[in-house]
Every structure is written in structure tokens, then in C-alpha cells.
Amino acid sequence: MDKNLSNLLKWSIEAQTAAQAGQSHSNGNTPASIEGPAPGSGAVATSPAPEVTAPGPRPIDPEVLASLFGGPSEAELMKAAIEVITDPSPEVTLENRLIAFDNFEQLIENLDNANLLEKLSLWTPLLNVLEHEEEEMRFFAAWCVGTAVQNNEKTQERLLAMGGVPKLVKLAMEEGETEKVRRKATYALSSAVRNYQPAMDVAAEEMHKRGHEVLVSSGNKKVDAADMDKVDEVIEWLRAKANSS
């Protein structure tokens, strides 16, 4: 990643972290002021306790701003976010990874940006995070997948081609997985299969392998991906299973 872009991203993360700390401080952590003694009481007056403010982000290097005059492209920001998310360095905290994930999810709400995932080779690293050891990382990865494929046949096709549907089914039905993650994987599956029959067929097959026989109706007919009532039945079953985990 370009050094200046990396510095800008780090500055952005620090700014968000400081803002969150400041908000928490203003919500009740500011020391109350101390009133002076009553006249004639003989007590020594005390000054109000100084208000502690959250430290702001370090000043950004003017050279960075100069080189990025006009701002980095959204494609560059997407790549930078994924680099932070997948960086194996212990110096990158979980908090910073989740901030990068939040930024990434907001970027791919845009249909054009979601379609860039393939061109930027971001599907593989994103789907790999579905198997991350940290619950929050799996949660955000499933969330981003669901956002990327919602009402978008092009990204639904890429998710299926990259092997993402079986991973989501596994995450949604895995014994021992947290309810939070299973529900978000179910959301991603809901976005992946609606109006896209190939993904619905694979999801049905994977769920059948894991013991959910309801998907196979009489005569071995497929669940119609365009029949929202039938798709809702599948998704509601997964949600109920997640709630019972």
C-alpha cells in the first residue's frame, strides 16, 4: 500500500478512536465541579476539578495531504481497509481492525464499489475472515458479505464462484458458534440467495448435508429463489436455529 495512503488511514482510525473516547467522556465521565465553602464557614476554598479531555489524533503530515490533494479514491480506501483488517502484525489492534471493517462496509453499500471487489481481488481476503478466530471479525466479515451481495446479481455470482455460500452455511449452522455470528451469516445468506437460483441451490444442498431435510420438498423440487415466501421459510428456519444455539 502507498505509504501516504497508509498514513492517512492510520490517522483516520486514530481520529475515530479519539472521537469515541471523547463521546464516552462527555456522557458522564467528566468530573463534577466542586462548589466553594459557605461564607463564614472557615473552610479553605477549592478550585473546580480540571476537566479531562480525550487526546486528539496526532497531527497529520502535511506532505500526506499534499500528495493526496483531492483525497484518495474509494477503491484505494477499500484496499487500505482490507490491508488493515488482514494485517498479521500484532501492532494492529482488534479495535483498529473493526474500525477499518466499519469503513469498508460503508464503502461497499455503494453498488459500484461492491462490484469492484472482484477487480481489486478483495473477495478472497474478505471470505477468509469468515474463519477468523475472533468472533467480532467473523461477525463483520459476514456483515460485509451480506452488504456486498444484496440486490446485486453480479456480486452474488462472484460470492458463489469464490466458494462463499458453503462458508456462510457452515457459519450459520455450526454448533458452538455464537448466536451473534450465526444471525449475521444468515443475513448474508438471505442476501446471497434471493432471486439468484444457483446460490439458492448450493445453499439448499449444503443445508441438506447438515441435516436440514425441510429444504427438499416432495418430488425433489428446488426451492425457487424468486419465491420470497419460500426463501423466507428457509431464512426463518436458520434464524430460529441461531436463536436456539
Side-chain angles (χ1 to χ4, degrees):
M1 177 171 45
D2 178 82
K3 179 181 177 182
N4 288 326
L5 181 59
S6 175
N7 288 337
L8 183 63
L9 184 66
K10 290 177 181 178
W11 179 85
S12 172
I13 289 173
E14 289 175 5
Q16 290 188 52
T17 303
Q20 290 169 1
Q23 183 178 10
S24 173
H25 182 73
S26 65
N27 286 340
N29 295 328
T30 304
S33 59
I34 303 174
E35 296 181 359
S41 65
V44 178
T46 58
S47 301
E51 183 174 326
V52 180
T53 58
R58 60 182 172 81
I60 191 167
D61 187 341
E63 184 179 326
V64 174
L65 290 177
S67 67
L68 294 172
F69 186 77
S73 71
E74 293 191 344
E76 290 173 317
L77 290 174
M78 288 167 61
K79 290 173 64 177
I82 286 292
E83 288 199 27
V84 171
I85 291 164
T86 60
D87 189 334
S89 171
E91 283 76 25
V92 182
T93 66
L94 176 61
E95 181 182 13
N96 286 351
R97 295 180 201 277
L98 297 184
I99 290 173
F101 245 140
D102 187 49
N103 292 340
F104 184 75
E105 194 275 336
Q106 292 181 55
L107 285 166
I108 61 175
E109 286 178 351
N110 179 291
L111 185 70
D112 292 334
N113 287 343
N115 289 334
L116 283 175
L117 287 171
E118 178 184 5
K119 181 178 180 181
L120 299 175
S121 301
L122 299 182
W123 272 114
T124 295
L126 175 59
L127 293 177
N128 284 344
V129 184
L130 291 173
E131 301 171 333
H132 200 279
E133 61 183 8
E134 288 283 350
E135 175 196 25
E136 289 293 329
M137 295 289 283
R138 299 192 301 275
F139 173 83
F140 267 93
W143 188 354
C144 288
V145 170
T147 298
V149 301
Q150 193 168 44
N151 302 317
N152 188 339
E153 185 173 341
K154 182 176 180 180
T155 50
Q156 286 175 317
E157 184 277 328
R158 290 315 304 159
L159 173 67
L160 180 62
M162 298 298 293
V165 172
K167 286 187 175 185
L168 289 173
V169 172
K170 178 182 178 182
L171 206 59
M173 298 183 68
E174 188 84 299
E175 296 296 335
E177 183 55 85
T178 64
E179 176 185 343
K180 176 179 178 178
V181 173
R182 291 174 74 164
R183 288 182 65 85
K184 194 56 74 173
T186 298
Y187 153 74
L189 277 172
S190 177
S191 298
V193 304
R194 292 183 187 274
N195 291 310
Y196 188 59
Q197 194 63 50
M200 183 73 254
D201 292 344
V202 171
E205 180 182 356
E206 291 297 317
M207 293 172 72
H208 183 66
K209 289 178 182 177
R210 291 176 172 269
H212 184 44
E213 307 295 337
V214 178
L215 283 178
V216 182
S217 58
S218 59
N220 281 337
K221 293 180 180 179
K222 297 178 179 180
V223 175
D224 185 353
D227 185 337
M228 294 300 103
D229 289 338
K230 290 296 184 183
V231 174
D232 284 343
E233 287 181 14
V234 175
I235 299 305
E236 286 305 318
W237 183 88
L238 284 170
R239 288 195 183 111
K241 186 171 178 62
N243 290 339
S244 65
S245 62

